[in-house]
């Protein structure tokens, strides 16, 4: 599936009666990268879940490649090309690495999993290990590889570096950068590590209490210490 | 990080799995053949055991691999048994054709059962499965002209196997025919549960939401599994009909469904070997203990089940796995 543009308009969503996102609008061109920043609890994960159809939507629309996918449920959106790598990874712990990858094939031949091993050679070494036997970094690689196997046109990465050792973060970032450079998918990147987020994407939005309070380029944000201090909690980049 | 794909390792993977599975299947065949030589006077009982093993394997597909609660699996078994029995009395006596008819009847019933049961989850789903088997039981009871009602179907005379081997009084042909069927079905199911489809089913059992986020709709996947499960159970039912040449209401009963679930839990859910081990242990205990005390043999089975659930929650097959792992670890430690 080729990369598609994503157009989000006036999105309001939440859980039950609780509104978490309010009037969120942004767009990402096909093959583009967007980083989503904000402190904890500001709605970043809810935004990812809403794009995937996992929350209650109160208002707004989601356009994917020029088509409105708002009315589609989770499976339908995934079939249209949205792929989520959740913050919690959610790999199948009683399945081996290889078996986890089988689940993500979406009808592709088994040999396609070699693409995953090419992207993350560590998974090839651990292919016979159960999901429960993997380290956090390996679980993240597996969750990412499993989603990418389905060839999404828009990839949602929700805090993929959370709690991982720096060396693993570097490996993952290298893989994400390679994926992004291929232009095969549009990537939305939620991340707490400011340097990684700004280095990865051309454009950034900042969420504060479920609303977009700042949007612009990574370069502009780097230069604006006040915005960083106010919304992210750092006065300058380390 | 390099971009090199481990091609040789990838190519070696299926070969290693195939080797391990071949050993397992060979063990099943050898155990079956050993039964033929060791218990020549009990071949009818052993054939019944194979027929029920097919039912328990079919139950494992939906309960063990997909996490669907069911206490009505005998509906699929009974559909296969009655279809084969009715066809045989109507003049279709070729054993392979009767098996196909049984499998088709079981498959169609599985589709219908799945369509109804997949509308619910958890306890309501379990209740639906009981309702379906009770409805079919009652339908078989009332449709006397077709099913023989409470008298059942009798007088079937399957043609000799390959036109040569008669289904004799000692049950030799039926047993070997059943054993061959079991091995074929077992191999097919091994391939199925190892396939990407099998993995999706196991994924659905663990986390349906995650599977849906990967673009897989649960209903058609589970319905397909019901169809396959029905075909396997129907094959078991047809084998029972051919072997005993009688089909009774017990083949479509809640009791048989419940017993099949007990056998599966005893052997270990989500493990095809477990389904076989559970069937053999349950039916052997029933056969031996019931001969001494026909009224209280279930007490022993009940005690065994409580012990298994408490001390070996993965069933007998899980305990065997664990013992083998400990043994291997010990061997590795003592190796120079």
């Amino acid at each position: 599936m080729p990369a598609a543009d994503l157009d989000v308009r006036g999105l309001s969503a939440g859980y039950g009666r609780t509104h978490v996102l309010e009037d969120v609008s942004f767009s990402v061109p096909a093959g583009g990268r967007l980083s989503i920043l904000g402190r904890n609890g500001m709605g970043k994960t809810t935004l990812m879940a809403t794009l995937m159809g996992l929350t209650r939507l109160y208002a707004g629309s989601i356009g994917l490649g020029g088509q409105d996918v708002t009315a589609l449920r989770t499976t339908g959106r995934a079939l249209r090309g949205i792929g989520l790598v959740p913050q919690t990874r959610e790999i199948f712990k009683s399945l081996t690495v290889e078996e986890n990858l089988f689940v993500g094939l979406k009808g592709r031949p088994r040999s396609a999993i070699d693409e995953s091993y090419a992207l993350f050679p560590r998974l090839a070494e651990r292919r016979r290990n159960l999901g429960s036997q993997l380290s956090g970094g390996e679980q993240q690689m597996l969750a990412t590889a499993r989603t990418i196997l389905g060839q999404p046109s828009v990839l949602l990465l929700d805090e993929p570096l959370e709690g991982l050792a720096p060396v693993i973060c570097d490996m993952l970032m290298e893989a994400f950068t390679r994926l992004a450079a291929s232009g095969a998918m549009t990537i939305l990147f939620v991340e707490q590590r400011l340097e990684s987020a700004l280095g990865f994407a051309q454009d950034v939005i900042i969420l504060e209490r479920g609303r977009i309070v700042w949007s612009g380029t990574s370069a502009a944000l780097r230069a604006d210490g006040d915005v960083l201090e106010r919304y992210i909690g750092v006065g300058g980049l380390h | 990080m390099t971009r090199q794909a481990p091609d040789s390792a990838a190519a070696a993977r299926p070969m290693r799995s195939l080797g391990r599975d071949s050993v397992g299947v060979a063990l099943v065949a050898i155990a079956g053949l050993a039964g033929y030589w060791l218990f020549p006077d009990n071949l009818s009982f052993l054939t019944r055991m194979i027929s029920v093993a097919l039912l328990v394997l079919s139950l494992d597909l939906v309960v063990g691999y997909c996490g669907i609660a069911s206490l009505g699996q005998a509906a699929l078994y009974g559909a296969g048994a009655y279809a084969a029995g009715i066809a045989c009395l109507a003049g279709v006596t070729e054993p392979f054709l009767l098996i196909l008819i049984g499998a088709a009847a079981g498959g169609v019933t599985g589709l219908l059962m799945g369509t109804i049961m997949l509308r619910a989850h958890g306890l309501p789903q379990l209740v639906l499965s009981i309702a379906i088997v009770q409805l079919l039981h009652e339908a078989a009871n009332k449709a006397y002209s077709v099913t023989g009602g409470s008298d059942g179907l009798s007088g079937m005379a399957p043609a000799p196997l390959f036109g040569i081997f008669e289904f004799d009084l000692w049950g030799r042909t039926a047993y070997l025919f059943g054993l061959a069927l079991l091995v074929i079905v077992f191999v097919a199911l091994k391939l199925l549960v190892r396939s990407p489809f099998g993995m999706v089913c196991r994924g659905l059992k663990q986390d349906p939401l995650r599977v849906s986020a990967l673009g897989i709709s649960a209903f058609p996947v589970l319905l397909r599994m019901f169809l396959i499960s029905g075909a396997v159970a129907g094959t078991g039912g047809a084998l029972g009909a051919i072997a005993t040449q009688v089909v009774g209401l017990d083949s479509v009963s809640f009791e048989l469904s419940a017993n099949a679930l007990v056998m599966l839990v005893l052997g270990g859910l989500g493990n095809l070997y477990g389904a076989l081990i559970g069937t053999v242990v349950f039916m052997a205990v029933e056969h031996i203990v019931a001969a001494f005390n026909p009224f209280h043999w279930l007490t022993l089975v009940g005690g065994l089940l409580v012990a298994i659930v408490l001390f070996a929650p993965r069933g007998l097959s899980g305990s065997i796995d664990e013992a083998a792992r400990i043994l291997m670890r010990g061997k590795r430690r003592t190796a120079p």
Side-chain angles (χ1 to χ4, degrees):
Chain A
M1 222 176 274
D5 60 284
L6 183 71
D7 188 33
V8 174
R9 291 280 147 240
L11 211 61
S12 292
Y15 306 96
R17 290 182 177 178
T18 311
H19 285 232
V20 178
L21 298 176
E22 287 290 356
D23 196 24
V24 171
S25 299
F26 63 89
S27 59
V28 192
R33 313 175 207 177
L34 174 75
S35 281
I36 300 163
L37 296 174
R39 293 191 187 93
N40 281 335
M42 292 302 156
K44 304 185 296 295
T45 293
T46 302
L47 174 57
M48 296 283 110
T50 302
L51 293 175
M52 197 70 243
L54 296 168
T55 60
R56 181 182 281 191
L57 187 70
Y58 303 113
S61 67
I62 302 164
L64 178 72
Q67 291 195 318
D68 191 345
V69 297
T70 319
L72 296 180
R73 299 172 84 166
T74 304
T75 310
R77 291 187 195 185
L79 287 172
R80 287 290 176 90
I82 300 180
L84 169 67
V85 181
Q87 186 179 11
T88 45
R89 292 155 198 162
E90 291 171 17
I91 58 165
F92 303 116
K93 296 200 169 172
S94 71
L95 302 187
T96 64
V97 166
E98 191 155 281
E99 290 169 345
N100 263 280
L101 291 172
F102 281 161
V103 181
L105 278 173
K106 264 190 186 172
R108 298 181 68 199
R110 282 175 186 230
S111 56
I113 63 170
D114 283 338
E115 291 170 18
S116 303
Y117 295 150
L119 187 65
F120 298 114
R122 180 76 72 94
L123 293 182
E125 294 162 20
R126 306 280 268 153
R127 65 184 178 276
R128 291 208 168 279
N129 286 92
L130 293 175
S132 58
Q133 296 169 329
L134 301 181
S135 68
E138 289 164 345
Q139 287 187 19
Q140 187 61 55
M141 290 176 196
L142 180 55
T144 307
R146 189 179 58 185
T147 302
I148 290 170
L149 263 181
Q151 298 177 312
S153 50
V154 173
L155 179 66
L156 313 175
L157 294 167
D158 191 3
E159 300 208 25
L161 310 180
E162 190 194 17
L164 302 181
V167 63
I168 301 292
C169 292
D170 291 345
M171 286 170 74
L172 283 164
M173 282 312 298
E174 192 185 323
F176 296 150
T177 306
R178 206 187 304 152
L179 270 176
S182 73
M185 51 193 82
T186 307
I187 302 180
L188 269 65
F189 187 67
V190 170
E191 187 46 58
Q192 296 273 9
R193 292 171 194 243
L194 196 57
E195 189 57 66
S196 300
L198 296 184
F200 179 76
Q202 307 97 325
D203 297 307
V204 179
I205 58 173
I206 299 177
L207 284 176
E208 175 83 358
R209 295 175 196 273
R211 292 175 182 275
I212 295 178
V213 290
W214 190 92
S215 64
T217 64
S218 297
L221 185 58
R222 268 177 204 278
D224 197 336
D226 283 350
V227 171
L228 287 171
E229 177 66 39
R230 197 180 319 144
Y231 298 119
I232 312 293
V234 290
L237 290 169
H238 308 296
Chain B
M1 191 161 49
T2 61
R3 281 198 63 129
Q4 196 182 2
D7 290 337
S8 56
R13 269 183 329 257
M15 293 308 290
R16 209 178 303 162
S17 296
L18 199 67
R20 217 170 31 200
D21 282 347
S22 304
V23 171
V25 171
L27 282 176
V28 171
I30 289 166
L33 288 173
Y36 182 82
W37 298 111
L38 293 173
F39 307 106
D41 298 331
N42 288 296
L43 291 181
S44 296
F45 167 68
L46 294 181
T47 310
R48 161 99 178 133
M49 198 182 259
I50 290 174
S51 163
V52 174
L54 288 166
L55 168 67
V56 180
L57 281 170
S58 77
L59 183 63
D60 201 13
L61 294 180
V62 289
V63 178
Y65 286 92
C66 298
I68 297 166
S70 177
L71 265 172
Q73 196 72 4
L76 312 178
Y77 179 87
Y82 273 106
I86 292 164
C88 194
L89 288 174
V92 181
T93 57
E94 169 55 44
F96 287 104
L97 199 53
L98 289 174
I99 291 291
L100 281 180
I101 289 169
V108 170
T109 312
L111 269 182
L112 294 173
M113 194 171 175
T115 307
I116 296 167
M117 279 179 64
L118 293 174
R119 305 272 163 211
H121 296 280
L123 210 52
Q125 196 171 52
L126 193 71
V127 172
L128 275 178
S129 71
I130 297 170
I132 290 168
V133 75
Q134 296 286 43
L135 278 172
L136 281 184
H137 182 274
E138 207 43 37
N141 190 24
K142 296 288 182 201
Y144 186 86
S145 59
V146 185
T147 62
S150 56
D151 297 332
L153 296 173
S154 58
M156 291 167 273
L161 200 61
F162 302 116
I164 302 169
F165 305 105
E166 293 275 0
F167 284 91
D168 55 351
L169 199 61
W170 297 274
R172 284 181 294 223
T173 304
Y175 180 71
L176 292 175
F177 179 52
L179 182 61
L181 268 182
L182 179 69
V183 170
I184 292 167
V185 169
F186 192 77
V187 169
L189 295 187
K190 265 279 167 202
L191 294 173
L192 179 85
V193 299
R194 286 266 171 89
S195 70
F197 169 74
M199 294 309 148
V200 168
C201 290
R202 289 171 66 184
L204 280 168
K205 182 185 172 188
Q206 284 181 45
D207 190 349
L209 202 60
R210 179 91 295 264
V211 175
S212 72
L214 289 168
I216 300 165
S217 186
F219 184 77
V221 172
L222 295 177
L223 199 59
R224 210 184 319 164
M225 195 52 124
F226 259 99
L227 169 73
I228 296 165
S229 168
V232 174
T235 300
L239 173 66
I242 291 169
T244 59
Q245 297 169 17
V246 171
V247 181
L249 286 174
D250 59 324
S251 66
V252 63
S253 64
F254 169 72
E255 190 187 347
L256 180 60
S257 304
N259 280 348
L261 190 62
V262 170
M263 291 177 212
L264 186 57
V265 172
L266 199 62
L269 286 163
N271 183 333
L272 296 179
Y273 293 105
L276 296 186
I277 292 168
T279 308
V280 171
V281 170
F282 181 95
M283 291 189 72
V285 168
E286 177 187 11
H287 191 66
I288 296 163
V289 181
F292 290 110
N293 190 334
F295 302 107
H296 297 109
W297 72 272
L298 265 172
T299 312
L300 183 71
V301 172
L304 189 65
L305 200 64
V306 169
I308 292 285
V309 170
L310 289 181
F311 302 112
R314 287 173 58 216
L316 292 170
S317 61
S319 301
I320 293 169
D321 273 352
E322 194 58 36
R325 205 168 297 138
I326 292 168
L327 207 68
M328 292 298 287
R329 215 180 295 153
K331 263 188 181 173
R332 238 175 271 145
R333 271 196 203 131
T334 53

